[in-house]
Each structure stands twice: as structure tokens, then as C-alpha cells.
């Protein structure tokens, strides 16, 4: 396998790491202060899916892979994400 | 830049990772749809969980994943010492996760919580413990890789083992990123 140049990989990964820390802190803040609710639940789920995609693309390095190998993580995030979204909407009487 | 044809690491680990992810996806779906029939119970007992501990554990796993990225970057440049240091730092963060999660379990068990206490705790304990075991396995894999790195077993030319261990560890992180909001925050 051809290795990715260090700068093209580490710099985005450092940025991704900082974004994930920020999204985690916001998620925790919502969990600590809010009373819940459909919108906030779906918002923190969206944060989690974004973080998951960033792990797959950058930490796992799938951003640098061609073809079908990028898709399993995307599909994996989409399917449970969709199931959870549907279940939460239904739980709010949607 | 031309993209690679295959993901980093051994292809076999990717088959394993996808199988593991499938199991966790089924668990997540089961949790969400079971909650649908027990919303009040799930919301009530979710409040008994320690969200501060969950925050620390999320930060620990994210940080350890980043450390593993740095380890892979170092070995690709033939820097075994740097790679080894980052791997042990990642393992230390994994150990931090184990200690915090163990504390959570101790708290719940001392309060008499078991798998059969109620449906929420059944999911909480089984899902998080299943993930907990993956963290331990990931630490063992990373430790084995770190020891081999220390013996000069990997180089810039041959470091598939480091990438394989790294991919598994990122999967462990990935699963927790969904677990954290689903179990501790969403209500």
C-alpha cells in the first residue's frame, strides 16, 4: 500500500481530533443541562455520526482509499443512525 | 494524488471489523426500538448514569485514537521509538477508560443493579460491557504491536501489523462515539 505523505495526513487528523473534542463537549453539555427532547437528541446523534465519519475517513485513512472500501463505514453509520432517528421520532409520537 | 486500492492494514482485520460493526449496529437498533416501548423507564434510569464519566471516557478514546494515528505516521517514517511511545500513550488512555468504566460498574453493582434489574440496565450493561471487552482486546493488540515495534519488528517498508492494530482500535473508538450519546444523552 502506498503511504500518505505525513503532512497530508497528520494536519487534518489533528484538526479532526480538535473538532471531535469540541463536539463531544457540546454533547456532554447538552446531556448535563438540557431536559432532553427530540431536536436535541437528533442533534447529538448528528454530532456522533459526523465524528464517526471523521474517524473512518481520517483516523482509519479511508479518505485515501478508492472504491468500495470507503462505503462500509458510511453505510454502518447511516443504518443505525436512521434506525435510531426513526425510533426517537416515533417515541415522540411522530 | 492516486488513492490506494485497499484500506490500511491486513484485509482480514477489515472483514473482522465489519462483522463487529454489524453486531453493534443490531444492538443499537434493538436499544432504540426497545426504548420506544419503555420511554419513561429508559429516560428515568438513564439519569442514574454518570455523564461526567462518559465524557472522560469519550475524550480518552478519541485521544487514544489520535495517538494511534501518530504512531502509524511515525512508523511510516521509520521512527520506531516515536511509534512505540505513541502506542504506549494510546494504551494508557485505554487503561484510563477501563478504570473509569470499572468505577461506573462498581457503583452500579454496589447499588444492586444487575442485568435483570430492568430493560434499560440490561441494555446498558450488556452493550457497554461488550464494548468494554473490545477495549481490553484492543489494548492487548496494541501492546503486542508496541512490543514488536520495540524489538524492531516493523519499519517504513513493512508495518502492516501496526496499521492492522490501529484499524481495530479505531473501530473500538467508532463504536463508543455512537454508544455515548445513545446511552447517556439522548432522551
Amino acid at each position: 500500500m502506498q503511504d500518505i505523505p505525513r503532512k497530508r495526513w497528520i494536519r487534518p487528523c489533528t484538526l479532526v481530533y480538535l473538532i471531535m473534542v469540541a463536539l463531544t463537549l457540546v454533547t456532554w453539555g447538552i446531556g448535563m443541562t438540557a431536559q432532553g427532547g427530540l431536536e436535541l437528541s437528533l442533534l447529538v446523534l448528528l454530532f456522533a455520526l459526523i465524528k464517526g465519519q471523521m474517524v473512518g475517513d481520517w483516523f482509519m485513512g479511508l479518505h485515501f482509499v478508492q472504491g468500495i472500501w470507503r462505503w462500509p463505514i458510511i453505510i454502518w453509520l447511516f443504518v443505525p443512525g436512521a434506525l435510531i432517528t426513526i425510533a426517537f421520532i416515533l417515541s415522540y409520537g411522530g | 494524488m492516486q488513492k490506494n486500492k485497499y484500506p490500511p492494514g491486513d484485509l482480514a482485520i477489515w472483514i473482522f471489523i465489519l462483522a463487529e460493526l454489524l453486531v453493534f449496529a443490531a444492538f443499537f437498533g434493538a436499544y432504540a426500538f426497545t426504548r420506544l416501548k419503555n420511554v419513561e423507564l429508559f429516560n428515568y434510569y438513564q439519569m442514574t448514569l454518570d455523564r461526567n464519566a462518559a465524557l472522560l471516557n469519550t475524550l480518552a478514546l478519541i485521544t487514544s485514537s489520535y495517538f494511534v494515528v501518530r504512531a502509524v505516521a511515525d512508523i511510516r517514517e521509520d521512527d520506531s521509538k516515536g511509534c512505540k511511545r505513541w502506542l504506549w500513550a494510546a494504551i494508557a488512555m485505554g487503561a484510563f477508560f477501563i478504570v473509569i468504566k470499572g468505577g461506573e460498574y462498581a457503583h452500579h453493582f454496589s447499588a444492586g443493579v444487575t442485568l435483570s434489574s430492568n430493560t434499560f440496565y440490561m441494555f446498558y450493561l450488556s452493550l457497554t460491557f461488550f464494548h468494554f471487552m473490545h477495549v481490553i482486546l484492543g489494548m492487548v493488540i496494541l501492546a503486542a504491536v508496541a512490543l514488536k515495534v520495540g524489538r524492531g519488528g516493523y519499519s517504513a517498508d513493512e508495518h502492516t501489523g501496526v496499521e492492522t492494530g490501529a484499524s481495530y482500535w479505531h473501530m473500538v473508538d467508532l463504536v463508543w462515539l455512537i454508544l455515548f450519546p445513545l446511552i447517556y444523552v439522548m432522551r
Side-chain angles (χ1 to χ4, degrees):
Chain A
M1 175 180 160
Q2 182 190 354
D3 286 339
I4 310 304
R6 187 184 180 91
K7 278 185 182 175
R8 282 202 58 188
W9 192 41
I10 291 299
R11 281 184 182 171
C13 282
T14 303
L15 181 62
V16 156
Y17 170 66
L18 295 173
I19 292 170
M20 290 205 296
V21 168
L23 290 178
T24 299
L25 289 171
V26 173
T27 299
W28 169 80
I30 288 172
M32 291 300 285
T33 58
Q35 294 300 309
L38 180 61
E39 291 81 5
L40 287 174
S41 291
L42 296 185
L43 181 65
V44 297
L45 178 63
L46 177 66
F47 288 166
L49 297 177
I50 290 170
K51 288 191 285 182
Q53 186 58 38
M54 290 195 293
V55 167
D57 261 358
W58 294 101
F59 285 11
M60 287 176 154
L62 298 180
H63 178 77
F64 303 103
V65 179
Q66 60 175 309
I68 61 163
W69 283 103
R70 288 192 68 191
W71 284 95
I73 298 296
I74 294 171
I75 293 169
W76 182 78
L77 289 166
F78 177 79
V79 172
L83 288 174
I84 294 165
T85 299
I86 291 167
F88 269 75
I89 289 172
L90 290 175
S91 76
Y92 278 88
Chain B
M1 189 186 137
Q2 192 179 353
K3 294 197 171 188
N4 292 309
K5 195 172 179 183
Y6 298 107
D10 196 305
L11 267 186
I13 196 68
W14 283 92
I15 305 298
F16 186 64
I17 285 172
L18 296 180
E20 295 273 36
L21 289 178
L22 202 61
V23 174
F24 275 106
F27 259 128
F28 294 156
Y31 173 93
F33 278 91
T34 306
R35 177 186 175 278
L36 191 52
K37 295 175 185 167
N38 306 274
V39 174
E40 286 183 7
L41 180 140
F42 272 56
N43 285 350
Y44 179 81
Y45 286 102
Q46 186 186 60
M47 297 306 287
T48 67
L49 303 184
D50 187 346
R51 282 181 293 281
N52 292 327
L55 168 70
L56 292 176
N57 275 344
T58 308
L59 294 177
L61 284 188
I62 290 172
T63 304
S64 72
S65 252
Y66 178 70
F67 287 170
V68 166
V69 166
R70 302 300 302 250
V72 173
D74 277 352
I75 200 64
R76 285 175 179 173
E77 295 197 336
D78 226 3
D79 181 1
S80 293
K81 280 187 180 173
C83 175
K84 191 175 71 172
R85 271 198 301 268
W86 284 115
L87 283 175
W88 284 115
I91 293 165
M93 297 309 289
F96 180 81
F97 179 97
I98 295 294
V99 170
I100 298 288
K101 199 83 203 105
E104 273 189 84
Y105 287 143
H107 169 75
H108 290 302
F109 292 150
S110 66
V113 172
T114 67
L115 276 172
S116 52
S117 292
N118 60 51
T119 315
F120 175 79
Y121 279 131
M122 187 274 288
F123 271 105
Y124 164 73
L125 290 175
S126 52
L127 254 172
T128 59
F129 190 73
F130 190 45
H131 177 266
F132 184 83
M133 297 307 289
H134 283 75
V135 175
I136 292 174
L137 177 59
M139 287 170 64
V140 170
I141 291 170
L142 288 185
V145 171
L147 290 173
K148 188 169 175 182
V149 169
R151 292 195 302 268
Y154 295 110
S155 65
D157 294 329
E158 171 40 41
H159 49 262
T160 307
V162 180
E163 291 178 340
T164 301
S167 297
Y168 184 84
W169 189 253
H170 294 316
M171 182 274 288
V172 172
D173 180 28
L174 184 60
V175 169
W176 181 261
L177 290 179
I178 307 294
L179 254 177
F180 165 52
L182 182 63
I183 302 277
Y184 288 87
V185 179
M186 294 176 68
R187 54 198 310 271

